[in-house]
Amino acid sequence: MGRICSSCCFTRRVSNTHQKAEHIQRSIGTMENPKEGNAYGVSEKQNGSSIKSRNGFPSNIILNHDFSRGLDSWNLNCCNGSVVPAESGSFEGISVKSGSNYAVITNRKECWQGLEQDITCRVSLGSTYSVSAFVGVSGSLQGSADIKATLKLEYQGSATSYLFIGRTSVPRQQWKKLEGTFSLSTMPDRVVFYLEGPSPGVDLLIESVVIFCSSPIEDESSSTRCAAEEDENIILNPRFEDGVNNWSGRGCKILLHDSMGDGKIVPQSGKFFVSATERTQTWNGIQQEITGRVQRKLAYEVSAVVQIFGNNITSADVRVTLWVQTPNQREQYIGVAKVTNKDWIQLQGKFLLNASPSRVVIYLEGPPPGTDILVNSLAVKHAEKIPPTPPPVIEDLAFGVNIIQNSNLNDGSNGWFPLGNCTLSVTTGSPHILPPMARDSLGAHEPLSGRYILVTKRSQNWMGPAQMITDGLKLYLTYQVSAWVRIGPGATGTQNVNVALGVDNQWVNGGQAEVGNDRWYEIGGSFRIEKQPLKVMAYIQGPAPGVDLMVAGLQIFPVDRHARFRHLRKETDKIRKRDVILKFSCSGTGIPIGTFVKVRQSQNSFGFGSCVSRTNIDNEDFVDFFVKNFNWAVFGNELKWYWTESQQGNFNYRDADELLDLCKSYNMETRGHCIFWEVEGTVQPWIKQLNKNDLMTAVQNRLTGLLTRYKGKFRHYDVNNEMLHGSFYQDRLGKDIRANMFKTANQLDPSATLFVNDYHVEDGCDTRSSPEKYIEHIIDLQKQGAPVGGIGIQGHIDSPVGPVVCSALDNLGALGLPIWFTELDVSSINEFIRADDLEVMLREAFAHPAVDGIMLWGFWELFMSRDNAHLVNAEGEINETGRRYLALRKEWLSHGHGHVNEQGEFMFRGFHGSYVVEMGTGSKKISKTFVVDNGESPLVISIDL
């Protein structure tokens, strides 16, 4: 035996000063052993930053890493220890590599006691370090013991903190490899690495320790820096080459296979796969703890090869989920990816953690009980940074040119064909004028011919006139769709008519209208194609079989968005600006002519807001962008009933309270979304199980509880979300319930404006929520006494076209109620096209007098309900869409400077909102604030200096 050492210990782990946080980092993976060098292929460096060793591998910053010099450079933390030399052979039945020493740490009275080494002078700020140690345990223990690697961080004048690196579970008489990574965001006065963890009385065995800096790069001062390997899998034993080590069942068993089903199922790659079997719940599956190997504010890509087996099932959802626990015991489940299939298939997704968690577990779940989940591999890697998409190059642009051939039917039905066994004929009697939405885009245009296609003998809804338009389409151009449509006699009520596109057998909606036989109806919409198709067919469909269909003047043409923007700038100047006269006065003395005046707008009175969720505010970068660039907020889920009372009587207002506190601290207004949600699929199970009387009581309790708690704190409430698309409460409690919800909400909080809120109102693609239907719905509520105070248009829109959106706003604006876009998002793979889409929506809203505000439904990648809709990439980089948004916000703030005239006045024209005026009088600078509100006549503001 080597010499026995003991040490004095430092006081630690006192609860009121302990700041231990389990830091999340990426693992660098398993290290290979080269032929040269020590057992890990690394050499030791006595001082300074990590460098390459002579064999090309990174240097080990741990001194005496293999205990070849006893316990030299190591310190025992409140315990005893010794080194077993190589020639002694095994220790208590634990075999070691030939020629290897190892340390034995004994007399441990606390779980945190172990072996440590000061590494202060050998680590640098911002570098990422990989840790790898071979460890074991001995003594009296049942089963296995956890061993952890930890950093002690000492700061002068502040409490010591502890940084978790990694852990492994070790059975008796076995060596296990402990791995992890760490990085320092601030540089402590002292950094101590140590190994700890087993219960008191259990001896800790350490064969060797390696800490190396990965991927060194040179910084501007030529000193060595480190960057984490971005392409390393943080999953241990990802292909099950080491059996099921590092894996466990989540409420079920896991088994290793090389084949199943009489040899019919074999691995897609490698030699093995694992089954999660004997599953009794949908959440049962296979899991791995990845605590310490993921880092906050980094985006990770997940890729798994999976399939299902058994239970005579042909398809089922398999999901990848993260379970995250924060240091304050808050739990979160993050859905990463989902796939449905019977055979091996790759499942892919991304995730990002906003906060530093205490634990993170990744698992696969989803299929019904009794169905096995098979996993061939799982990889979690730092997401590759995708270069920005360039703006698309579109040649031979021809804005406003109709790609439909023989649209006016001057050549009979040439170019058209019947879709299905229907009959086409050409007749006369249709309108000669363009439909209004097309007229707004095209301007002066030759009259239509008055001829139309009559479709008869229709035996299916989808039958109608069709035309191939493949050659006329260009990728990334936004096309407007316009036509006159009508149905023949014999229909039972109005019919849904749709201009559709078959894009390689995929249905694309070009616009819908609810049509009768009494007159011609306008149909309008839009679409865009972003991937090269083989064939594209335009066709008109919809009415019930046997109902004749009439189509006139079908137009499909690319829109000139920038020409529309020029028009909207002029409208914006009329609607959102006002002439202002600042009249300066000073008691006893006049204002010198020519005094310099500087005017700066600090805030726009128009509402620019965004959706935010509780987890977002743990990310300081998210909060910084949010509070700087928005003046309103709405909560994604945290105010919804299924969130605040998922189980009857168990209330969660903590998340909403914390979001409100943040908004209040930055003087941001908030919308309350939502009190109820009428769509049945969003209603929590316990509510669905209530009888009529109990449901009525629950509704009243929800109103009373929510609006009493938050009285005066939310400026708006969406009272009953999506009433045009659902009827859960109305079906069970009667038609009056909707109006009564508004009445009761108004009684409980008269200060809040009460909104209706629905989707596909503005885009012409859903007859259930057309502007006409929305108006009827609102008027009906008002007739029942509902105090409807505002109109919410969600704005989840694709390929927006200004005149189509503006037409909906014009129609709704006739009600005289303020309109808000409440959940606006646009989506495109190309961020320049996405930016154009967003600009269309923002300019249309800002230029319309009926619109008072716009709420984006998020802006940060991975935290939006739609893919390819973000303004800021996952790790905080503002993309082209975000830059466009910021440019518009800047465009819509007024700044000016000049000199006071002979009348002591300074005049300018500015956007409505809050201002600061500064002027210098001699050696004194004076600053005043004022507000420019809406009005047609010049605003005169007297400023007494």
Side-chain angles (χ1 to χ4, degrees):
M1 297 286 287
R3 61 191 175 92
I4 304 294
C5 301
S6 63
S7 75
C8 58
C9 53
F10 14 116
T11 304
R12 53 166 298 189
R13 303 290 167 106
V14 180
S15 61
N16 62 342
T17 60
H18 180 53
Q19 295 181 341
K20 189 170 188 297
E22 297 194 9
H23 198 68
I24 311 168
Q25 301 286 338
R26 284 161 289 158
S27 170
I28 305 304
T30 303
M31 298 166 55
E32 297 179 355
N33 293 329
K35 294 180 180 179
E36 296 182 11
N38 55 40
Y40 283 83
V42 295
S43 63
E44 295 173 7
K45 181 171 174 63
Q46 295 294 325
N47 296 294
S49 60
S50 172
I51 62 170
K52 293 278 187 179
S53 66
R54 60 185 174 85
N55 58 23
F57 283 81
S59 294
N60 188 1
I61 68 171
I62 290 293
L63 307 181
N64 187 26
H65 79 283
D66 58 359
F67 308 102
S68 58
R69 300 193 304 274
L71 289 175
D72 182 44
S73 302
W74 291 95
N75 182 55
L76 291 158
N77 190 5
C78 303
C79 52
N80 298 331
S82 62
V83 172
V84 177
E87 58 270 21
S88 298
S90 64
F91 175 80
E92 294 188 1
I94 304 178
S95 61
V96 294
K97 296 176 185 176
S98 176
S100 297
N101 299 335
Y102 59 93
V104 181
I105 314 304
T106 59
N107 197 25
R108 299 175 60 256
K109 296 181 172 58
E110 299 286 347
C111 63
W112 49 264
Q113 293 173 353
L115 193 62
E116 63 184 26
Q117 185 171 135
D118 190 326
I119 58 172
T120 309
C121 64
R122 302 191 295 280
V123 292
S124 58
L125 188 65
S127 300
T128 299
Y129 295 87
S130 287
V131 177
S132 183
F134 276 101
V135 294
V137 291
S138 69
S140 58
L141 80 157
Q142 300 292 326
S144 59
D146 280 353
I147 298 177
K148 294 189 290 185
T150 308
L151 285 187
K152 178 181 180 180
L153 308 176
E154 296 180 359
Y155 298 88
Q156 188 174 1
S158 62
T160 297
S161 63
Y162 299 90
L163 188 64
F164 171 84
I165 298 173
R167 66 156 62 90
T168 189
S169 183
V170 186
R172 288 184 71 241
Q173 300 184 343
Q174 288 187 31
W175 292 102
K176 284 286 187 178
K177 194 173 188 179
L178 187 159
E179 294 181 295
T181 62
F182 69 88
S183 179
L184 301 176
S185 58
T186 59
M187 194 63 204
D189 297 295
R190 187 166 181 250
V191 183
V192 177
F193 168 84
Y194 64 95
L195 293 160
E196 59 169 336
S199 301
V202 176
D203 294 343
L204 171 60
L205 312 183
I206 308 166
E207 186 184 29
S208 53
V209 181
V210 169
I211 302 178
F212 73 97
C213 183
S214 58
S215 301
I217 55 175
E218 295 297 320
D219 66 10
E220 295 178 356
S221 61
S222 299
S223 63
T224 303
R225 304 286 290 178
C226 296
E229 299 266 351
E230 295 187 349
D231 58 352
E232 290 294 336
N233 189 1
I234 69 170
I235 296 296
L236 305 179
N237 188 23
R239 295 181 178 273
F240 310 104
E241 293 164 347
D242 193 20
V244 293
N245 283 342
N246 304 111
W247 296 93
S248 62
R250 190 174 183 86
C252 62
K253 290 183 179 180
I254 58 170
L255 301 174
L256 184 69
H257 304 269
D258 56 11
S259 67
M260 283 180 69
D262 298 325
K264 294 179 181 177
I265 300 176
V266 295
Q268 187 183 75
S269 62
K271 298 179 180 179
F272 305 105
F273 61 92
V274 165
S275 67
T277 189
E278 298 184 21
R279 299 175 60 253
T280 60
Q281 304 289 335
T282 58
W283 53 265
N284 295 156
I286 182 171
Q287 66 181 4
Q288 184 174 130
E289 182 159 352
I290 57 174
T291 307
R293 305 199 298 275
V294 286
Q295 185 174 341
R296 68 182 291 252
K297 301 199 299 183
L298 286 184
Y300 290 90
E301 292 176 328
V302 178
S303 178
V305 177
V306 299
Q307 71 165 291
I308 57 173
F309 177 77
N311 213 20
N312 295 319
I313 194 164
T314 57
S315 67
D317 287 345
V318 179
R319 298 189 297 271
V320 173
T321 305
L322 285 185
W323 173 77
V324 181
Q325 185 180 59
T326 61
N328 61 2
Q329 303 303 304
R330 189 190 296 268
E331 291 188 350
Q332 181 187 7
Y333 292 87
I334 302 173
V336 178
K338 183 177 75 171
V339 72
T340 301
N341 207 353
K342 174 73 173 175
D343 301 316
W344 288 119
I345 191 169
Q346 189 172 49
L347 184 157
Q348 292 181 302
K350 293 173 73 174
F351 71 88
L352 178 142
L353 301 180
N354 286 305
S356 295
S358 58
R359 291 190 67 194
V360 186
V361 175
I362 189 168
Y363 64 98
L364 287 97
E365 60 168 337
T371 303
D372 292 352
I373 302 174
L374 310 187
V375 185
N376 188 198
S377 63
L378 176 64
V380 178
K381 301 179 181 181
H382 183 203
E384 180 183 357
K385 290 190 181 297
I386 300 173
T389 53
V393 177
I394 306 172
E395 298 178 346
D396 301 323
L397 288 172
F399 293 125
V401 175
N402 190 7
I403 65 172
I404 294 294
Q405 301 299 311
N406 190 26
S407 173
N408 261 334
L409 306 173
N410 295 325
D411 194 15
S413 61
N414 190 36
W416 296 89
F417 60 90
L419 188 62
N421 295 321
C422 56
T423 301
L424 306 186
S425 60
V426 176
T427 186
T428 60
S430 60
H432 287 271
I433 60 171
L434 278 176
M437 285 182 275
R439 197 160 61 242
D440 286 346
S441 289
L442 297 172
H445 196 277
E446 63 182 24
L448 300 180
S449 67
R451 289 183 284 270
Y452 65 90
I453 296 175
L454 174 64
V455 189
T456 57
K457 300 180 181 179
R458 298 175 61 256
S459 58
Q460 300 289 337
N461 294 71
W462 48 265
M463 290 183 178
Q467 187 173 130
M468 300 305 298
I469 60 172
T470 313
D471 295 339
L473 288 171
K474 293 182 181 294
L475 296 185
Y476 292 109
L477 273 184
T478 302
Y479 288 87
Q480 184 171 344
V481 177
S482 174
W484 290 113
V485 291
R486 187 174 181 175
I487 60 172
T492 304
T494 56
Q495 300 286 304
N496 184 17
V497 176
N498 168 225
V499 177
L501 295 106
V503 182
D504 291 340
N505 300 317
Q506 296 282 328
W507 175 75
V508 174
N509 191 351
Q512 296 187 28
E514 195 167 84
V515 175
N517 62 10
D518 56 332
R519 61 179 176 86
W520 288 92
Y521 291 77
E522 178 183 17
I523 191 168
S526 61
F527 70 91
R528 180 173 57 240
I529 297 174
E530 298 190 357
K531 293 182 180 179
Q532 185 63 53
L534 295 175
K535 59 180 181 179
V536 182
M537 175 180 66
Y539 60 103
I540 299 91
Q541 61 166 352
V547 176
D548 293 346
L549 173 62
M550 305 171 222
V551 180
L554 175 63
Q555 302 266 338
I556 298 179
F557 58 90
V559 294
D560 186 349
R561 287 173 151 181
H562 290 278
R564 177 76 180 178
F565 291 166
R566 290 190 291 271
H567 163 73
L568 293 174
R569 286 189 183 96
K570 296 176 182 178
E571 294 301 305
T572 297
D573 186 84
K574 298 176 187 175
I575 294 163
R576 302 294 174 191
K577 280 186 170 183
R578 188 175 183 184
D579 290 327
V580 181
I581 302 171
L582 302 180
K583 292 183 68 72
F584 297 98
S585 62
C586 186
S587 301
T589 61
I591 302 300
I593 297 173
T595 298
F596 184 76
V597 175
K598 182 178 180 181
V599 173
R600 176 178 58 85
Q601 188 171 7
S602 58
Q603 188 62 270
N604 205 298
S605 62
F606 191 87
F608 291 99
S610 175
C611 168
V612 60
S613 296
R614 172 59 190 83
T615 59
N616 296 143
I617 67 175
D618 292 326
N619 185 336
E620 59 275 17
D621 300 331
F622 180 101
V623 173
D624 183 65
F625 187 94
F626 175 59
V627 300
K628 285 181 178 178
N629 298 299
F630 300 99
N631 53 21
W632 278 73
V634 63
F635 307 160
N637 288 303
E638 288 78 358
L639 209 68
K640 290 170 181 168
W641 197 1
Y642 63 62
W643 192 276
T644 62
E645 195 181 3
S646 60
Q647 301 294 325
Q648 188 171 14
N650 295 330
F651 295 97
N652 169 27
Y653 290 114
R654 176 184 175 188
D655 296 330
D657 290 347
E658 291 178 4
L659 286 169
L660 265 177
D661 289 343
L662 174 81
C663 295
K664 183 179 179 181
S665 66
Y666 288 99
N667 297 314
M668 301 180 77
E669 301 285 2
T670 50
R671 300 193 76 251
H673 176 80
C674 51
I675 304 176
F676 301 101
W677 197 343
E678 190 70 277
V679 177
E680 183 167 354
T682 67
V683 178
Q684 55 269 54
W686 70 266
I687 293 178
K688 294 180 181 179
Q689 296 168 5
L690 300 176
N691 61 38
K692 181 176 181 179
N693 290 336
D694 290 342
L695 178 59
M696 185 67 80
T697 300
V699 165
Q700 183 60 49
N701 290 342
R702 164 67 171 171
L703 284 161
T704 303
L706 186 75
L707 279 88
T708 301
R709 180 184 183 89
Y710 294 119
K711 186 174 183 178
K713 295 183 179 180
F714 289 100
R715 286 278 302 277
H716 299 169
Y717 277 108
D718 295 329
V719 176
N720 192 3
N721 199 36
E722 298 175 2
M723 288 182 278
L724 295 177
H725 289 91
S727 57
F728 175 84
Y729 297 101
Q730 179 173 267
D731 290 346
R732 288 157 180 78
L733 301 176
K735 183 180 178 181
D736 292 345
I737 188 61
R738 292 177 166 181
N740 288 338
M741 288 173 174
F742 276 84
K743 294 175 187 177
T744 304
N746 180 248
Q747 292 167 0
L748 292 167
D749 189 354
S751 67
T753 303
L754 305 181
F755 276 69
V756 291
N757 192 48
D758 229 302
Y759 61 91
H760 285 327
V761 175
E762 77 291 355
D763 55 12
C765 71
D766 188 345
T767 56
R768 294 171 297 176
S769 52
S770 66
E772 294 76 17
K773 286 285 185 67
Y774 210 11
I775 290 168
E776 290 175 12
H777 170 62
I778 293 167
I779 292 174
D780 185 54
L781 286 170
Q782 290 174 327
K783 286 180 177 178
Q784 296 177 69
V788 179
I791 302 170
I793 302 174
Q794 291 184 8
H796 303 293
I797 191 169
D798 293 305
S799 316
V801 168
V804 176
V805 174
C806 185
S807 173
L809 295 176
D810 287 344
N811 289 337
L812 292 167
L815 291 175
L817 297 173
I819 298 172
W820 280 66
F821 281 99
T822 55
E823 304 178 21
L824 176 63
D825 55 24
V826 294
S827 175
S828 174
I829 298 170
N830 187 291
E831 61 187 56
F832 286 86
I833 297 298
R834 190 190 320 154
D836 288 347
D837 285 352
L838 184 62
E839 184 171 358
V840 167
M841 296 303 296
L842 294 176
R843 287 197 183 277
E844 291 293 339
F846 198 59
H848 202 284
V851 180
D852 281 1
I854 302 164
M855 307 294 297
L856 302 187
W857 201 241
F859 58 87
W860 200 278
E861 185 184 12
L862 302 184
F863 296 95
M864 301 187 69
S865 60
R866 298 174 72 187
D867 293 333
N868 302 311
H870 54 284
L871 285 65
V872 181
N873 299 339
E875 294 181 5
E877 181 184 5
I878 300 172
N879 60 30
E880 176 61 27
T881 312
R883 289 190 290 272
R884 191 77 58 87
Y885 170 79
L886 296 178
L888 288 171
R889 290 297 316 275
K890 184 177 179 181
E891 178 184 325
W892 294 331
L893 289 174
S894 298
H895 305 299
H897 59 270
H899 298 86
V900 175
N901 63 19
E902 295 178 353
Q903 288 75 39
E905 297 174 347
F906 177 76
M907 293 177 284
F908 71 98
R909 183 170 177 81
F911 289 103
H912 307 149
S914 302
Y915 286 80
V916 176
V917 58
E918 296 176 352
M919 63 182 302
T921 57
S923 60
K924 200 161 83 171
K925 181 183 276 189
I926 298 172
S927 177
K928 297 283 187 179
T929 61
F930 62 93
V931 174
V932 176
D933 52 13
N934 192 11
E936 296 183 2
S937 61
L939 176 65
V940 179
I941 298 176
S942 298
I943 299 179
D944 186 357
L945 302 178

